[in-house]
């Protein structure tokens, strides 16, 4: 069942709680309506209830259902994050498997993130990265099936952010992340509560109901939608001049008109569906095969092209950040193609510091304008939205490298500005699909240029100390921009927005250098 409440249904301070189930057609079916008034002196009607009044209502409902010697027990229930509803359900049905709505769970976590991290808008890259990592952690927590596994995910993330506290540019965001992780572990990861929102609880509920886990409701949306239809549809139709119904008139309408109308509409829908099935039985328009063939005919391919707009798109701005923070960490020419085909690897925004195998994507650029990326955004959305942020970042990065390393001959790579040209190039190249296990292939020996040195290379440099990345000078930025403007290429290459590749050292002991470089390199990557 689903249990949730609403208010503002009549001119009196009444609360309405509804118990709902879902039928075979995935339609919500109201089973019970609990109406009661807010306590005298209560200023806010929506908060005018407690677990005791809900327990009393549920007990009365259970006793009525068990009349004539019958028994009634609930197996699974889902609510929002209201602890009063949960306590009442468990008091009346102790063996109940209680689940929490994923939507309301996400709202709680997001609100706490905003309180801890503040707004993530602007150029605060460290804060944006922390938010991205925490979102990835939340997905992993929801999909966890073992309690110790969920605890381990949070504690590992805690270690990462604790190490980042020693750096000034990440200290504030890491402190906020540590506070948020303490909140998750201290409240949401208690064993009983973890089981109500994780995949483990959904698997237990599926077993209890003898159905697939996909058949277990993830949210309370059925009841939330019904509340909206009830208040803005059925009740609103009966109001006069926008004034709320008197409470006794509301009772009359609810019992004599609203509830019968709901079940009558469901009855007509069922009969209509049955009539359609009989009337057009055997018709190819209703067959599954024709639907599949039609879907196959509309399949589009991932193609790389640059969207022309008066203002930079979100992906272009994110590509700016990728180049600026050097997340393109290796580039090389593909063997057998000379200098015509360039391949690079870019770290995902969800790549976590200190991870020995961070998430990365493979990017390809050909001199004729073909491009590809293994990221999900490019694979599923590029036909309509153009190149992904990683490809924009690579174009920006290449332009910067030309300025910082003028002695290195790098061909001019660009992407078409027309989708039809991109589709034509896709047909010529037919890029292979990269399987999941090839997202981090070994780097070929014929490397073009590593934009960051390895740890061993850095230690060989004269002097000792921690690597610091120098901000690009105005002159370097102007040179990079002019290199694109003067290329004479008809196809547009993304605007150069990146950092210079220079580094500088300052004194620290040699042993401490290795440890700090390991942390700094992973953070930079």
């Amino acid at each position: 069942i689903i249990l949730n409440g609403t208010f503002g249904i009549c001119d009196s301070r009444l609360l309405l709680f509804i118990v709902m189930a879902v039928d075979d057609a995935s339609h919500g079916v109201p089973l019970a309506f609990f109406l009661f008034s807010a306590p005298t002196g209560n200023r806010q009607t929506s908060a005018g209830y407690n677990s005791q009044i809900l327990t009393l209502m549920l007990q009365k409902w259970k006793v009525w259902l068990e009349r004539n010697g019958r028994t009634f027990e609930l197996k699974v229930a889902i609510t929002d994050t209201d602890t009063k509803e949960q306590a009442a359900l468990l008091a009346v049905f102790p063996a109940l498997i209680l689940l929490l709505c994923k939507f309301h769970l996400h709202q709680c976590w997001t609100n706490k993130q905003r309180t801890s991290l503040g707004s993530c808008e602007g150029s605060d890259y460290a804060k944006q990265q922390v938010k991205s990592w925490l979102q990835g952690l939340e997905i992993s927590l929801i999909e966890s099936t073992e309690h110790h596994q969920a605890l381990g995910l949070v504690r590992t993330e805690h270690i990462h952010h604790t190490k980042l506290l020693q750096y000034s540019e990440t200290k504030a965001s890491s402190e906020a992340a540590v506070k948020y992780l303490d909140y998750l572990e201290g409240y949401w990861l208690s064993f009983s509560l973890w089981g109500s929102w994780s995949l483990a609880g959904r698997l237990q509920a599926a077993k209890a109901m003898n159905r697939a886990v996909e058949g277990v409701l993830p949210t309370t949306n059925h009841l939330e939608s019904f509340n909206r239809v009830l208040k803005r549809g059925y009740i609103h139709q009966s109001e006069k001049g926008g004034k709320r119904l008197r409470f006794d008139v509301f009772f009359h309408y609810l019992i004599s008109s609203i509830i019968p109308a709901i079940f009558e509409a469901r009855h007509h829908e069922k009969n209509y569906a049955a009539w359609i099935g009989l009337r057009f039985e055997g018709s190819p328009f209703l067959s599954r095969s024709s639907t599949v063939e039609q879907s196959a005919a509309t399949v589009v391919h991932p193609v790389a092209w640059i969207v022309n707009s008066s203002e930079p798109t979100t992906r272009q701005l994110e590509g700016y950040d990728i180049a600026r923070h050097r997340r393109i960490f290796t580039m090389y020419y593909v063997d057998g193609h000379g200098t015509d085909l360039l391949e690079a690897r870019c770290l995902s925004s969800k790549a976590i510091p200190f991870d020995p195998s961070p998430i990365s994507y493979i990017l390809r650029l050909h001199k004729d304008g073909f491009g590809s990326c293994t990221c999900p955004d490019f694979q599923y959305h590029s036909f309509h939205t153009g190149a992904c942020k990683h490809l924009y970042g690579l174009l920006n990065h290449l332009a910067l490298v030309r300025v910082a390393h003028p002695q290195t001959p790098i061909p001019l790579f660009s992407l078409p500005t027309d989708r039809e040209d991109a589709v034509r190039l896709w047909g010529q190249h037919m890029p292979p699909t990269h399987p999941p296990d090839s997202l981090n292939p070994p780097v070929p020996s014929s490397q073009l240029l590593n934009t960051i040195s390895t740890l061993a290379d850095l230690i060989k440099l004269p002097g000792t100390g921690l690597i610091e990345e120098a901000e690009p000078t105005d002159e370097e930025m102007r040179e990079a921009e002019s290199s694109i403007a003067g290329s004479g290429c008809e196809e547009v290459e993304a605007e150069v927005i990146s950092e210079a590749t220079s580094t500088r050292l300052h004194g620290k002991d040699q042993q401490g250098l290795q440890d700090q470089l390991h942390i700094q390199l992973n953070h930079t990557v």
Side-chain angles (χ1 to χ4, degrees):
I1 66 162
I2 310 170
L3 177 63
N4 197 11
T6 186
F7 59 97
I9 51 178
C10 62
D11 64 351
S12 299
R13 300 177 62 191
L14 295 180
L15 292 99
L16 173 63
F17 275 75
I18 303 173
V19 177
M20 175 173 282
V22 178
D23 60 17
D24 294 336
S26 297
H27 292 157
V29 180
L31 303 180
F33 294 84
F34 301 147
L35 276 162
F36 54 91
S37 60
T40 303
N42 188 275
R43 294 186 177 182
Q44 188 175 0
T45 305
S46 60
Y49 68 99
N50 51 34
S51 58
Q52 287 77 16
I53 184 63
L54 291 178
T55 301
L56 176 63
M57 292 286 183
L58 289 169
Q59 285 175 340
K60 293 289 187 181
W61 180 51
K62 185 175 186 293
V63 169
W64 185 85
L65 290 173
E66 291 183 336
R67 68 191 189 282
N68 301 326
R70 294 179 296 182
T71 58
F72 175 74
E73 290 293 336
L74 290 177
K75 291 185 177 181
V76 180
I78 182 170
T79 70
D80 55 22
T81 54
D82 187 352
T83 55
K84 292 175 281 191
E85 296 175 6
Q86 301 159 17
L89 283 167
L90 292 175
V92 181
F93 305 99
L96 179 70
I97 299 174
L98 188 60
L99 303 178
L100 295 186
C101 171
K102 283 186 178 181
F103 172 77
H104 291 90
L105 176 71
H106 177 70
Q107 273 192 325
C108 287
W109 289 357
T110 300
N111 292 338
K112 185 63 177 181
Q113 271 192 37
R114 288 173 180 167
T115 303
S116 302
L117 293 173
S119 174
C120 287
E121 300 296 331
S123 60
D124 190 348
Y125 184 76
K127 192 177 291 186
Q128 292 176 5
Q129 287 298 102
V130 167
K131 182 178 179 181
S132 177
W133 295 332
L134 293 180
Q135 288 174 344
L137 172 65
E138 291 171 0
I139 294 173
S140 300
L141 288 175
I142 291 175
E143 296 300 318
S144 61
T145 56
E146 299 289 342
H147 186 239
H148 65 84
Q149 172 193 6
L151 287 172
L153 290 170
V154 173
R155 290 169 183 173
T156 300
E157 192 76 15
H158 198 288
I159 293 173
H160 294 332
H161 291 289
T162 301
K163 289 181 179 179
L164 290 175
L165 290 174
Q166 57 186 304
Y167 300 104
S168 58
E169 64 177 2
T170 59
K171 183 177 180 181
S173 57
S174 295
E175 285 178 347
V178 169
K179 181 187 295 186
Y180 176 73
L181 293 170
D182 290 338
Y183 159 75
L184 286 181
E185 184 172 357
Y187 180 75
W188 291 100
L189 283 175
S190 62
F191 183 78
S192 58
L193 193 55
W194 165 81
S196 64
W197 52 260
S198 65
L199 179 59
R202 289 170 53 79
L203 290 172
Q204 185 183 6
K207 183 178 180 181
M209 295 189 295
N210 193 25
R211 63 172 57 189
V213 68
E214 292 78 12
V216 179
L217 295 179
T219 67
T220 59
N221 285 354
H222 286 83
L223 187 47
E224 299 284 355
S225 176
F226 178 80
N227 285 340
R228 181 178 181 277
V229 173
L230 177 66
K231 294 168 67 174
R232 300 186 183 183
Y234 291 106
I235 296 178
H236 181 71
Q237 292 174 2
S238 304
E239 294 175 345
K240 304 297 182 182
K243 295 182 179 179
R244 290 181 178 176
L245 298 176
R246 206 172 60 192
F247 76 92
D248 55 344
V249 176
F250 168 71
F251 289 165
H252 173 75
Y253 272 119
L254 180 64
I255 296 171
S256 63
S257 299
I258 297 176
I259 294 178
I262 292 171
F263 285 96
E264 184 179 4
R266 297 291 164 80
H267 179 71
H268 289 318
E269 288 175 3
K270 184 177 180 180
N271 289 342
Y272 179 73
W275 176 82
I276 288 289
L278 291 174
R279 176 64 179 82
F280 299 100
E281 184 177 3
S283 172
F285 298 103
L286 297 181
S287 64
R288 178 178 177 82
S289 59
S290 63
T291 304
V292 173
E293 292 171 0
Q294 183 180 2
S295 300
T298 59
V299 170
V300 295
H301 303 292
V303 290
W305 55 290
I306 291 179
V307 177
N308 285 323
S309 61
S310 57
E311 297 293 333
T313 66
T314 300
R315 288 175 175 80
Q316 290 169 347
L317 293 175
E318 290 174 343
Y320 162 89
D321 285 333
I322 286 174
R324 180 170 175 264
H325 295 280
R326 300 197 183 105
R327 299 187 74 81
I328 305 292
F329 65 97
T330 189
M331 299 187 299
Y332 47 86
Y333 293 123
V334 177
D335 294 336
H337 294 270
T339 60
D340 291 342
L341 185 58
L342 176 70
E343 192 165 285
R345 286 194 289 174
C346 178
L347 286 173
S348 165
S349 60
K350 293 181 173 58
I352 300 176
F354 319 107
D355 188 348
S357 301
I359 301 172
S360 63
Y361 303 115
I362 299 175
L363 294 82
R364 284 194 170 194
L365 285 177
H366 198 279
K367 287 175 65 175
D368 65 3
F370 166 77
S372 69
C373 180
T374 58
C375 73
D377 180 52
F378 180 81
Q379 297 297 322
Y380 296 109
H381 305 130
S382 60
F383 185 84
H384 301 288
T385 59
C388 64
K389 62 182 180 182
H390 309 106
L391 286 171
Y392 283 119
L394 178 56
L395 291 175
N396 285 300
H397 183 79
L398 284 171
L400 176 70
V401 171
R402 292 189 190 96
V403 175
H405 300 273
Q407 73 282 1
T408 304
I410 301 176
L412 180 64
F413 293 94
S414 60
L415 296 175
T417 57
D418 184 75
R419 185 171 64 185
E420 297 302 322
D421 292 338
V423 173
R424 175 181 52 80
L425 290 169
W426 184 93
Q428 294 175 1
H429 289 267
M430 294 293 289
T433 301
H434 299 276
D437 57 354
S438 67
L439 292 182
N440 291 288
V443 179
S445 57
S446 59
Q447 288 193 359
L448 168 65
L449 178 68
N450 277 324
T451 58
I452 62 169
S453 302
T454 63
L455 179 60
D457 294 333
L458 291 172
I459 293 177
K460 292 177 183 177
L461 293 174
T464 59
L466 179 65
I467 293 296
E468 288 187 351
E469 299 178 350
E471 293 290 333
T473 64
D474 293 338
E475 182 179 355
E476 290 171 329
M477 296 297 290
R478 285 194 296 270
E479 290 181 12
E481 292 172 358
S482 62
S483 69
I484 291 182
S487 64
C489 181
E490 293 182 357
E491 296 171 331
V492 179
E493 186 171 10
E495 181 183 1
V496 180
I497 314 173
S498 185
E499 289 185 346
T501 55
S502 61
T503 59
R504 59 179 182 270
L505 299 169
H506 58 85
K508 285 189 181 290
D509 62 280
Q510 182 73 10
Q511 180 60 37
L513 171 66
Q514 298 188 21
D515 297 334
Q516 296 183 58
L517 282 178
H518 175 71
I519 296 174
Q520 180 68 12
L521 281 175
N522 280 281
H523 173 57
T524 302
V525 167

